[in-house]
């Protein structure tokens, strides 16, 4: 018995190490080759994304590497692991490696200011991506506008409801900047549709939690018409609960993000709509902008009071939308 | 001689009903080594702890430099110039020598430690006893002997007038011992008074100016070294009549149960060979550190021998764990009852059934009624004094706790039962009940090995006695030939 | 004379009150909470909502059953959340082989991780906290790598029914939770394994001397923890109809909180399965009630923290 179990243990360890081997191999090929025989000096861009356990950023990374290959840019990539300290040291590493430019997708706004200043001192340009920092000198911001996306999703939902009805809101991580911006966007949309009433405002940080929260909201407010979820996972969890309660014909749900499961759910009529931030495109835009900056192009586009290369997001809807009142 | 440095008169102390000290007189002069000897439990440590302020006496006076003192803690005694070096050294391994010497009286710059000054001062103290150690070194890197020297340096740095040493040589080699004695001689010259506690009478006679013998918490004699000899000191240490509480019965049967042949393990055990018969009670005497408990651990699978053979009923067995020992029919009632023998926060009934749960199971599940009945039976048979089997063991007295351990062990139906200090901390009444239980078990053919530091008990209960010394069997005595002088002579290396 | 007698009676009353609190405080606390919620929200006492609560606590409840054993043995298992996510992933990845195979593969993957934890704790002699913290990170990493960071959808209809179907009026997953907690109770209080779990948590040295095979018991405990985490993963995955690589985050702390509220001591040797059940229910009722009342999300966290502290305080009265 023991021996058998031990064997399977060894096997699983072998499996794990095998996988690790694979992934590291693919990584090194992805980050471009290091032979510098080509005449043009290959540009090197350091990229740190806040959290690779989030599917959204997995797609962003794909976009970044696709575009980098096209433009012959070498990407030094780091996963911030949702940890500010980790990310701080990653930026420091980029500085000591003397990369040509840093694309920073900060986990939090304030604590990463020193990292930006360090890059400033070393004369390395910094582009913030998707979220910005509150200090230091950055060349430009690249990404979609969370406020605009929040408004887009709200307007889609309210338009579908014909401008009146009761809705529940499921926020994401309390206190996070995206949560705050979505709220601003939602409020903008609510101003345009005064007939919409928010009857419940809760938060969830996972699909499972969103499902539980939605079940409880349904108990307290069985007569709601729609759900505005701050992200796709929460939207899917809410939809799970609504389907389990057999109310999918009465209550519609919108999400934000454009993740694969959410896009599927929209196609199947489980979600009314989601706002696709087009992570692949957003990733590509980051590298395109980086190349522009390094080639000396001046970025002048403005949005929400800052230099901003805006990624347009789009509302994706499916069969549910067609039943619009 | 001038006035005494320290005079103690009529000190007595009781601990929860046990008279530990009953009117002890003792004094110490400057520049003198005064040895304190006695059996385990004679009250030496208690007396020293009273002097050091750890315990407060119930009656009596302590006078230092002609002033009466009342210590409420060790801080007070240290301020009065008393420094105690415990058998289990009191150093903190993870900090430096200097840090230890100035522990709790650090030199500081504002809120910061003044390491430099502490290192310098520590160096001075070490120099005074001619020890060449870097005060910045961590104590964990020192040998036992070096740690002892650090303790002495600490005492010197506190300008102690009185240094108490409790078994300072128990873990030293001959060379280290000689070095320590030189330092003691130097301290004497400086006028420090030293109270020296030791089991080793050779050392005592080499070192001491005077010897005081303590027995049952009272002073027996106090005499100068020149006017006495080892034999009479041993006599005075042991010298009580074997009384009636033992009520000896013999049950030895012809069949040999256990044979141990050439058991050795590093420095702990050296070539141990002996055998035990069914129904026999074999005593193992010896001083602390002679390897008796280690021998028990080897027989119970808690330690593994390097070489040697153990046979049970003529069959060679390998005992690699307590559960194996138990399945072979070996039981151990350990010395450290509270830590190793009992589940203190669990009820009596849970403790009693722990090693034999299958006896209270029906169809794979435990039945609380069966468990309770079993416990009730043992409470009756062993006369365990309690309000009921649900009572937590921690609330019982020492003797009753010991009976609970014994009940748990007996419930596994052992053929060989090892008792390690079975009556330590047990009152006289419970003692004789425990002896009766031993005889009863022996009469059913159970072989018993009893390790004890209490000589009268070994002499009173056992059919045969082995005396251990330094990991070897120093001597074997039949009940008829055994007496306390002889046992002590084997135990201390006189024979 | 009279005064003295009065005093005695009073003292006795006091003692019996604290006794009562330490014995039944948890249940009394639960009842108070329940009644307060029923008064504050008109929908709280509806059948739908009560079943909702049971369904919502099932996942944490199943994990907590394993955690109870670990904590009573003076250990802890921080890897349960990660194992939950891993097992869910394994089930979804093997769903093509049929429901039974997928289910067994998922459970076996949890058993395996638990067994590995147990081996490192006993044979490697490393503290459970450290071992399971390391394996938590490791399993999380493996799960993220295998899934590529994406959630994967569960399509097997049999497995989907596990999370959504009813047995009469009771959801299947609530039935599963009930069976698990009853088996857990039997295992803990009626078998040698349970008794030895308490013994090891009370005193490891005494357990050794009493002939208990400590290593074997500990390996079994952590294997049980892994198995329970895997079962919870199966249920969560079928309830959400997808396996997310980050689904397990935070479940270890929820389970520890439930077990601690239930009166178990993190120092080991104390705890009861009934206590864990009420610990799980208290957490569930609070979460449900606060959402029903649409309490601000920041305030919800404050209230939860306070209630956990109060519950543990009452439980520790001795």
């Amino acid at each position: 018995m023991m021996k058998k179990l031990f064997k399977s243990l060894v096997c699983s360890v072998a499996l794990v190490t095998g996988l690790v081997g694979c992934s590291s191999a693919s990584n090194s090929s992805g980050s471009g080759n290091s032979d510098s025989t080509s005449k043009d000096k290959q540009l090197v861009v350091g990229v740190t994304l806040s959290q690779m356990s989030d599917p959204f950023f997995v797609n962003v990374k794909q976009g970044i590497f696709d575009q980098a290959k096209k433009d012959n840019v070498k990407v030094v990539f780091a996963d911030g692991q949702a940890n500010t300290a980790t990310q701080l040291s990653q930026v420091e590493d980029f500085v000591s490696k003397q990369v040509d430019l840093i694309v920073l997708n900060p986990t939090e706004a304030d604590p990463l200011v020193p990292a930006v200043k360090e890059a400033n001192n070393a004369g390395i340009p910094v582009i913030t991506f998707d979220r910005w920092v509150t200090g230091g000198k950055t060349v430009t911001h690249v990404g979609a506008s969370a406020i605009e996306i929040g408004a887009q999703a709200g307007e889609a939902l309210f338009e579908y409801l014909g401008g009146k009805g009761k809705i529940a809101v499921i926020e994401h991580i309390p206190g996070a900047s995206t949560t705050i911006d979505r709220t601003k966007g939602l409020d903008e949309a609510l101003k345009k549709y005064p007939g919409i009433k928010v009857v419940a405002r809760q938060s969830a940080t996972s699909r499972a939690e969103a499902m539980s929260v939605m079940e409880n909201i349904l108990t307290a407010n069985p007569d709601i018409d729609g759900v505005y979820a701050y992200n796709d996972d929460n939207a899917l969890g809410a939809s799970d609960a609504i389907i389990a309660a057999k109310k999918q014909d009465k209550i519609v749900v919108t999400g934000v993000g454009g993740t694969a499961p959410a896009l599927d759910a929209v196609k199947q009529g489980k979600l009314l709509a989601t706002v696709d931030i087009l992570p692949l495109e957003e990733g590509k835009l980051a590298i395109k902008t980086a190349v522009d900056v390094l080639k000396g192009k001046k970025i002048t586009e403005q949005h929400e009071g800052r230099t901003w290369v805006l990624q347009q997001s789009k509302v994706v809807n499916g069969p549910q939308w067609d039943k619009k009142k | 001689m001038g006035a005494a440095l320290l005079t103690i008169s009529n000190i007595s102390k009781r601990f929860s009903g046990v008279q530990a000290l009953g009117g002890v007189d003792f004094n110490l002069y400057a520049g003198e080594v005064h040895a304190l000897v006695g059996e385990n439990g004679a009250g030496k440590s208690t007396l020293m702890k009273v002097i050091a302020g750890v315990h407060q006496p119930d009656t009596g006076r302590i006078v230092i430099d002609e002033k009466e003192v009342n210590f409420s803690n060790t801080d007070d005694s240290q301020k009065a110039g008393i420094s105690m070096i415990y058998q289990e050294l009191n150093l903190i391994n993870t900090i430096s020598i200097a840090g230890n010497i100035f522990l709790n009286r650090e030199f500081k710059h504002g809120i910061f430690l003044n390491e430099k000054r502490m290192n310098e001062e520590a160096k001075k103290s070490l120099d005074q006893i001619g020890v060449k150690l870097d005060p910045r070194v961590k104590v964990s890197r020192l040998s036992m002997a070096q740690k002892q020297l650090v303790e002495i340096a600490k005492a010197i740095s506190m300008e102690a007038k009185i240094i108490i040493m409790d078994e300072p040589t128990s873990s030293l080699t001959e060379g280290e011992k000689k070095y320590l004695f030189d330092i003691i001689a130097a301290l004497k010259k400086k006028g420090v008074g030293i109270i020296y506690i030791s089991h080793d009478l050779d050392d005592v006679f080499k070192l001491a100016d005077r010897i005081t013998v303590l027995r049952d918490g009272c002073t027996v004699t106090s005499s100068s070294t020149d006017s006495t000899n080892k034999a009479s000191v041993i006599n005075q240490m042991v010298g009580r009549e074997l009384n009636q509480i033992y009520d000896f019965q013999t049950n030895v049967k012809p069949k040999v149960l256990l044979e141990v042949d050439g058991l050795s393990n590093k420095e702990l055990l050296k070539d141990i060979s002996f055998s035990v018969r069914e129904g026999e009670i074999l005593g193992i005497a010896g001083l602390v550190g002679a390897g008796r408990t280690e021998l028990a651990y080897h027989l119970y699978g808690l330690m593994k021998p390097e070489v040697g053979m153990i046979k049970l009923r003529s069959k060679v067995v390998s005992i690699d764990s307590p559960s194996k020992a138990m399945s072979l029919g070996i039981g151990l009632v350990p010395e450290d009852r509270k830590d190793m023998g009992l589940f203190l926060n669990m009820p009596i009934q849970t403790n009693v059934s722990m090693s034999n749960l299958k006896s209270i199971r029906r169809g794979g599940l435990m039945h609380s009624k069966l468990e309770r009945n079993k416990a009730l039976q043992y409470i009756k048979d062993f006369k365990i004094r309690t309000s009921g089997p649900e009572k937590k063991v921690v609330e019982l007295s020492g003797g009753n706790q010991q009976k609970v351990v014994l009940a748990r062990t007996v419930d596994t139906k052992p053929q060989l039962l090892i008792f390690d200090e079975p009556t330590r901390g047990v009152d006289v009444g419970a003692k004789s009940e425990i002896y009766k239980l031993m005889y009863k078990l022996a009469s059913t053919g159970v072989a018993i090995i009893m390790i004890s530091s209490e000589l009268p008990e070994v002499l009173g209960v056992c059919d045969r006695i082995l005396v251990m010394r330094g990991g070897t069997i120093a001597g074997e005595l039949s009940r008829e030939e055994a007496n306390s002088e002889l046992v002590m002579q084997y135990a201390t290396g006189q024979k | 004379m009279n005064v003295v007698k009065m005093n005695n009676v009073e003292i006795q009353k006091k003692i019996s009150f604290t006794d009562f609190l330490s014995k039944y405080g948890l249940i009394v606390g639960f009842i108070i909470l329940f009644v307060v919620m029923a008064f504050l929200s008109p929908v709280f006492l509806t059948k739908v909502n009560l079943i909702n609560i049971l369904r919502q606590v099932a996942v944490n409840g199943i994990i907590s059953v394993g955690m109870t054993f670990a904590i009573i043995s003076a250990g802890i298992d921080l890897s349960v959340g990660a194992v939950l996510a891993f097992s869910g992933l394994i089930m979804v990845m093997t769903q093509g082989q049929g429901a039974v195979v997928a289910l067994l593969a998922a459970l076996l993957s949890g058993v395996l991780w638990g067994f590995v934890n147990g081996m490192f704790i006993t044979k490697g002699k490393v503290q459970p906290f450290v071992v399971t913290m390391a394996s938590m990170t490791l399993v999380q990493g493996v799960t993220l790598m295998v899934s590529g960071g994406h959630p994967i959808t569960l399509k097997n209809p049999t497995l989907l029914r596990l999370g959504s179907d009813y047995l009469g009026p009771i959801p299947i997953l609530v039935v599963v939770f009930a069976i698990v907690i009853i088996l857990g109770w039997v295992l803990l209080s009626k078998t040698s394994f349970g008794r030895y779990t308490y013994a090891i948590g009370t005193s490891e040295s005494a357990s050794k001397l009493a002939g208990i095979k400590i290593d074997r018991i500990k390996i079994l405990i952590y294997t049980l923890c892994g198995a329970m985490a895997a079962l919870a993963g199966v249920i969560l995955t079928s309830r959400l109809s997808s396996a997310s690589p980050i689904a397990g985050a935070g479940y270890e702390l929820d389970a520890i909180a439930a077990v601690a509220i239930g009166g178990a001591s993190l120092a080991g040797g104390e705890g009861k399965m009934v206590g864990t059940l009420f610990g799980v229910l208290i957490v569930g009722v609070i979460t449900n009630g606060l959402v029903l009342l649409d309490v601000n999300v920041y305030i919800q966290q404050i209230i939860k923290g306070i209630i956990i502290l109060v519950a543990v305080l009452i439980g520790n009265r001795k």
Side-chain angles (χ1 to χ4, degrees):
Chain A
M1 181 63 186
M2 278 303 248
K3 265 188 187 159
K4 261 192 195 164
L5 279 167
F6 210 81
K7 249 189 192 169
S8 48
L9 173 71
V10 170
C11 284
S12 77
V13 168
L15 172 77
V16 168
T17 45
L19 286 164
V20 169
C22 291
S23 81
S24 66
S26 71
N27 248 358
S28 60
S29 69
S31 54
N33 53 25
S34 54
D35 75 306
S36 48
T37 46
S38 57
K39 270 185 224 157
D40 279 348
K41 184 181 157 276
Q42 194 188 24
L43 295 174
V44 180
V45 174
V47 178
T48 168
L49 298 184
S50 58
Q51 191 185 5
M52 290 312 292
S53 58
D54 182 341
F56 175 81
F57 287 110
V58 177
N59 290 336
V60 168
K61 183 184 173 192
Q62 190 61 46
I64 284 172
F65 278 105
D66 286 354
Q67 189 66 33
K69 206 172 175 189
K70 217 165 161 191
D71 293 348
N72 189 29
V73 171
K74 178 176 172 174
V75 173
V76 184
F77 182 79
D79 170 11
Q81 296 165 16
N83 183 330
T84 298
T86 307
Q87 220 170 9
L88 190 62
S89 57
Q90 284 165 351
V91 174
E92 285 165 359
D93 287 347
F94 290 158
V95 171
S96 57
K97 276 180 191 154
Q98 292 181 306
V99 297
D100 298 312
L101 183 142
I102 294 171
V103 174
L104 172 63
N105 164 230
T107 302
E108 288 174 88
D110 292 332
L112 280 161
V113 171
V116 174
K117 286 192 173 152
E118 204 165 315
N120 292 157
N121 290 339
I124 299 173
V126 178
I127 293 176
T128 52
F129 177 75
D130 197 59
R131 306 172 194 168
W132 54 74
V133 290
T134 48
K137 269 183 283 177
T138 54
V139 184
T140 182
H141 181 71
V142 176
S145 157
I147 298 177
E148 208 168 283
I149 292 164
Q152 271 178 308
E155 283 171 28
L157 174 65
F158 305 157
E159 191 190 331
Y160 175 87
L161 294 177
K164 61 176 194 297
K166 291 182 184 172
I167 64 159
V169 174
I170 302 181
E171 302 183 355
H172 197 216
I173 305 166
S177 71
T178 44
T179 303
I180 293 164
D181 286 345
R182 290 272 193 285
T183 307
K184 281 185 196 158
L186 174 63
D187 288 346
E188 274 181 22
L190 281 169
K191 257 183 234 158
K192 288 188 200 164
Y193 293 87
I196 299 290
K197 212 179 135 204
V198 177
V199 294
R201 194 181 266 277
Q202 290 297 319
S203 92
T205 50
S206 69
R207 183 165 171 174
E209 199 185 346
M211 183 175 182
S212 295
V213 165
M214 192 64 225
E215 283 169 349
N216 297 338
I217 291 175
L218 285 176
T219 311
N221 306 284
D223 56 342
I224 56 169
D225 305 299
V227 178
Y228 178 98
Y230 276 31
N231 68 351
D232 278 348
D233 257 8
N234 283 356
L236 288 167
S239 144
D240 289 338
I242 290 166
I243 292 169
K246 303 202 167 51
K247 290 195 166 179
Q248 62 268 43
D249 296 332
K250 296 188 190 103
I251 305 170
V252 293
V253 183
T254 58
V256 170
T259 60
L263 292 172
D264 272 355
V266 170
K267 256 184 230 158
Q268 291 163 15
K270 289 179 182 167
L271 289 185
L272 173 69
T274 178
V275 180
D276 192 347
I277 309 174
L278 307 169
L280 212 62
E281 300 306 316
E282 202 181 3
K284 285 180 184 169
L285 189 62
I287 294 299
K288 277 183 206 157
T289 311
V291 171
D292 286 348
V293 168
L294 288 172
K295 285 192 175 149
K297 190 185 158 196
K298 264 258 182 274
I299 309 285
T300 52
E301 299 164 66
Q302 292 280 317
H303 190 78
E304 290 170 28
R306 64 173 68 230
T307 317
W308 190 323
V309 180
L310 189 68
Q311 167 66 39
Q312 291 296 341
S313 47
K314 76 169 193 229
V315 176
V316 181
N317 52 37
Q320 255 191 356
W321 185 267
D322 304 331
K323 289 184 253 165
K324 191 175 127 178
K325 289 160 198 168
Chain B
M1 266 190 255
L5 199 54
L6 167 78
T7 308
I8 290 169
S9 42
N10 195 31
I11 292 282
S12 64
K13 176 78 187 170
R14 284 178 84 85
F15 288 111
S16 53
V18 179
Q19 188 82 43
L21 293 175
V24 176
D25 298 322
F26 184 87
N27 59 19
L28 179 72
Y29 289 90
E32 175 194 42
V33 175
H34 191 159
L36 193 62
V37 297
E39 276 193 287
N40 291 326
K44 294 169 296 184
S45 294
T46 311
L47 179 60
M48 290 308 109
K49 283 179 178 164
V50 167
I51 296 175
V54 178
H55 299 315
Q56 284 66 49
D58 300 332
T59 67
R61 278 155 40 96
I62 302 175
V63 176
I64 292 177
D65 283 343
E66 300 175 344
K67 271 186 298 227
E68 183 168 350
V69 290
N70 278 305
F71 299 141
S72 49
N73 53 46
T74 49
D75 242 24
D76 291 354
S77 71
Q78 278 177 9
K79 280 185 194 125
I82 297 174
S83 190
M84 177 143 180
I85 300 173
Y86 292 91
Q87 194 173 353
E88 63 279 19
L89 297 173
N90 239 357
L91 298 173
I92 297 172
N93 271 323
T94 49
I95 65 179
S96 70
I97 293 176
N100 268 289
I101 289 179
F102 291 101
L103 194 65
N104 204 20
R105 47 193 191 103
E106 289 81 359
F107 292 118
K108 287 179 191 165
H109 277 310
I111 59 161
F112 300 106
L113 292 175
N114 187 346
E115 300 278 2
K116 192 163 163 246
R117 170 132 186 249
M118 285 196 280
N119 287 335
E120 284 165 9
E121 295 290 327
K123 184 109 182 42
K124 273 186 215 160
S125 305
L126 290 166
D127 283 346
Q128 280 192 43
I129 50 172
V131 178
K132 285 174 189 62
L133 283 173
D134 185 340
R136 290 167 300 185
V137 167
K138 272 193 188 166
V139 166
S140 58
R141 291 176 49 193
L142 304 182
S143 69
M144 278 307 281
Q146 287 171 323
K147 286 182 187 175
Q148 204 106 46
L149 296 174
V150 170
E151 284 273 25
I152 293 170
K154 182 175 178 178
I156 288 171
S157 87
M158 288 196 259
E159 287 165 0
K161 292 177 291 187
I162 299 166
I163 298 180
I164 303 167
M165 297 184 181
D166 191 1
E167 296 285 354
T169 57
S170 58
S171 46
L172 301 191
T173 64
E174 280 303 317
E176 291 168 341
K177 214 193 247 183
K178 196 175 164 297
Y179 190 65
L180 177 70
F181 289 176
D182 289 346
I183 287 170
I184 290 175
L187 289 172
K188 266 175 76 171
K189 265 192 205 135
K190 289 178 58 181
V192 176
I194 293 167
I195 303 175
Y196 188 90
I197 301 172
S198 180
H199 267 113
D200 195 325
L201 290 184
D202 283 343
D203 291 353
V204 167
F205 274 86
K206 231 180 270 169
L207 210 59
D209 302 301
R210 280 194 296 156
I211 299 174
T212 290
V213 180
L214 221 57
R215 191 175 72 219
D216 295 335
C218 300
T219 318
V220 180
T221 57
S222 196
S223 43
S224 75
T225 312
D226 309 331
S227 63
T228 184
N229 58 53
K230 282 174 205 166
S232 70
V233 167
I234 290 175
N235 230 331
Q236 288 155 358
M237 280 164 65
V238 181
R240 68 187 105 171
E241 296 282 319
L242 301 185
N243 53 34
Q244 297 309 305
I245 63 164
Y246 304 116
D247 193 18
F248 178 70
Q249 303 167 11
T250 184
N251 297 289
V252 185
K253 300 189 171 52
K255 232 167 142 188
V256 172
L257 182 84
L258 172 83
E259 289 165 86
V260 175
D261 190 11
L263 205 65
S264 298
N265 191 355
K266 300 198 181 78
E267 292 302 302
L268 299 172
L269 297 179
K270 294 165 198 156
D271 197 23
I272 302 275
S273 300
F274 67 94
S275 64
V276 194
R277 291 170 193 281
E278 287 181 4
E280 184 178 28
I281 302 181
L282 176 70
I284 298 185
L287 302 176
V288 172
R292 297 170 303 167
T293 297
E294 287 77 4
L295 175 59
Y297 284 179
H298 280 83
L299 295 177
Y300 195 64
L302 285 163
M303 286 179 164
K304 279 174 216 161
E306 288 180 325
V307 277
M309 203 196 300
I310 300 172
K311 282 193 213 169
L312 266 179
R313 297 190 191 285
S314 321
K315 261 211 244 145
V316 178
V317 291
S318 129
I319 308 167
D320 52 10
S321 70
S323 57
K324 181 75 183 290
M326 207 171 264
S327 67
L328 288 168
I330 302 172
L332 171 67
V333 177
E335 176 184 17
D336 187 350
R337 184 190 311 146
K338 291 199 160 100
D339 190 40
M340 296 179 74
L342 292 166
F343 301 90
L344 284 174
N345 284 319
M346 288 186 163
I348 295 172
Q349 54 188 15
T350 315
N351 271 277
V352 169
S353 58
M354 191 62 88
S355 291
N356 190 12
L357 287 182
K358 62 175 186 293
S359 69
I360 58 164
R361 277 196 315 233
R362 288 283 177 277
L365 300 183
M366 297 189 298
H367 275 234
S368 48
K369 190 146 181 235
L370 291 174
E371 181 168 41
R372 194 182 145 84
N373 288 344
K374 179 195 283 286
L376 284 171
Q377 191 63 46
Y378 277 109
I379 287 171
K380 192 168 147 244
D381 291 353
F382 285 16
K383 299 196 176 73
I384 300 171
R385 277 160 203 91
T386 170
S387 53
E390 298 85 8
K391 193 159 181 162
K392 284 187 177 176
V393 169
V394 71
E395 294 160 9
L396 300 179
S397 73
N400 287 310
Q401 287 185 342
Q402 188 68 304
K403 288 178 189 168
V404 173
V405 182
L406 187 54
R408 195 202 76 220
T409 315
V410 167
D411 200 52
T412 64
K413 311 250 166 352
Q415 300 170 330
L416 171 67
L417 198 43
I418 307 164
F419 288 87
D420 197 353
E421 305 288 357
T423 61
R424 178 171 292 174
V426 170
D427 58 273
V428 177
K431 262 186 193 177
S432 83
E433 281 168 14
I434 289 172
Y435 301 142
K436 283 204 181 81
L437 288 170
M438 284 188 192
Y439 300 138
K440 201 173 153 201
L441 287 164
S443 71
T444 64
V446 174
I448 291 173
I449 295 176
M450 183 177 85
I451 297 167
S452 176
S453 296
E454 226 180 289
L455 259 187
E457 168 177 286
V458 176
L459 295 169
V461 175
C462 300
D463 293 299
R464 196 156 51 97
I465 298 165
L466 299 178
V467 187
M468 287 186 72
R469 181 168 192 269
T472 62
I473 292 181
E476 178 180 339
L477 300 164
S478 70
R479 179 176 177 82
E480 289 70 33
E481 62 186 322
N483 61 51
S484 42
E485 288 80 6
L486 212 51
V487 171
M488 278 308 265
Q489 282 170 357
Y490 278 117
T492 53
Q494 306 296 307
K495 257 202 163 161
Chain C
M1 191 62 204
N2 253 339
V3 177
V4 173
K5 252 189 185 170
M6 289 264 288
N7 274 345
N8 269 341
V9 171
E10 253 176 12
I11 287 166
Q12 269 193 346
K13 252 190 191 167
K14 248 187 187 166
I15 288 169
S16 62
F17 179 67
T18 44
D19 253 19
F20 179 80
L21 256 190
S22 77
K23 260 192 178 160
Y24 304 107
L26 192 66
I27 296 171
V28 171
F30 176 74
I31 292 170
I32 291 173
L33 189 69
F34 203 82
V35 170
V36 168
M37 286 299 178
F39 267 104
L40 290 177
S41 166
V43 289
F44 179 79
L45 269 184
T46 57
K47 193 180 122 197
V48 174
N49 191 53
L50 295 181
I51 284 178
N52 264 349
I53 293 174
L54 288 177
R55 190 161 47 197
Q56 287 162 12
V57 300
V59 170
N60 186 30
I62 291 169
I63 298 174
S64 299
V65 168
M67 190 66 83
T68 305
F69 282 86
I71 286 179
I72 290 177
S73 76
I76 202 155
D77 189 347
L78 297 177
S79 70
V80 285
V83 170
L84 174 150
F86 182 77
S87 309
L89 182 70
I90 293 291
M91 182 172 86
V92 176
M93 285 172 69
T94 53
Q95 59 180 320
Q97 315 295 313
V100 177
V101 173
L103 204 67
L104 287 178
L107 292 179
L108 199 69
S109 68
V111 165
L112 183 77
W113 283 120
F115 178 76
V116 170
N117 279 338
M119 289 299 275
F120 274 101
I121 288 163
T122 54
K123 308 300 175 197
K125 301 195 193 315
V126 190
Q127 286 139 330
F129 187 96
V130 179
V131 169
T132 58
M133 188 170 65
S135 62
M136 167 176 85
T137 312
L138 193 154
V139 176
Q140 251 167 19
V142 172
T143 311
L144 280 166
M145 192 173 61
V146 172
S147 65
H150 295 283
I152 304 177
T153 308
L154 177 70
K155 293 184 176 119
N156 183 306
T158 317
L159 292 174
L160 281 170
R161 284 182 55 194
L162 191 61
S164 55
D165 258 19
Y166 287 74
L167 205 74
I170 316 276
I172 288 179
L173 58 92
V174 174
V175 175
V176 172
F177 171 44
I179 293 171
V180 165
I181 201 125
I182 289 168
L183 288 181
W185 174 73
V186 170
L187 201 58
L188 185 61
S189 54
K190 295 283 164 194
T191 68
S192 313
F193 170 65
R195 176 60 57 82
Y196 293 154
T197 303
Y198 281 106
I200 291 171
T202 303
S203 167
E204 209 163 296
S205 47
S207 301
K208 192 172 179 186
L209 207 94
I212 297 169
K213 289 171 179 139
I214 295 177
D215 285 3
R216 186 193 283 185
I217 300 297
K218 281 191 178 172
I219 291 171
L220 276 172
I221 288 172
Y222 288 94
T223 306
L224 180 72
C225 274
M228 289 300 105
L231 182 58
V234 165
I235 279 176
L236 185 69
T237 304
S238 73
R239 182 161 140 85
L240 293 175
S241 65
S242 78
S244 159
I246 52 168
Y251 272 110
E252 59 281 343
L253 295 182
D254 288 348
I256 293 167
V259 176
I261 291 172
S265 157
L266 287 177
E270 274 174 57
K272 288 201 165 78
M273 202 48 82
V274 178
T276 296
L277 173 63
F278 277 98
V280 168
L281 287 176
I282 284 177
V283 174
V285 167
I286 297 170
T287 312
N288 169 270
L290 293 177
V291 175
L292 288 188
L293 300 173
D294 201 30
V295 174
N296 174 291
V297 292
Y298 300 158
I299 295 173
Q300 282 189 21
Q301 294 197 2
I302 297 171
I303 293 176
K304 272 192 210 172
I306 290 171
I307 289 182
I308 291 174
L309 276 178
V310 169
V312 174
L313 270 178
I314 291 174
N316 278 354
R317 269 221 125 85
K318 258 159 216 164

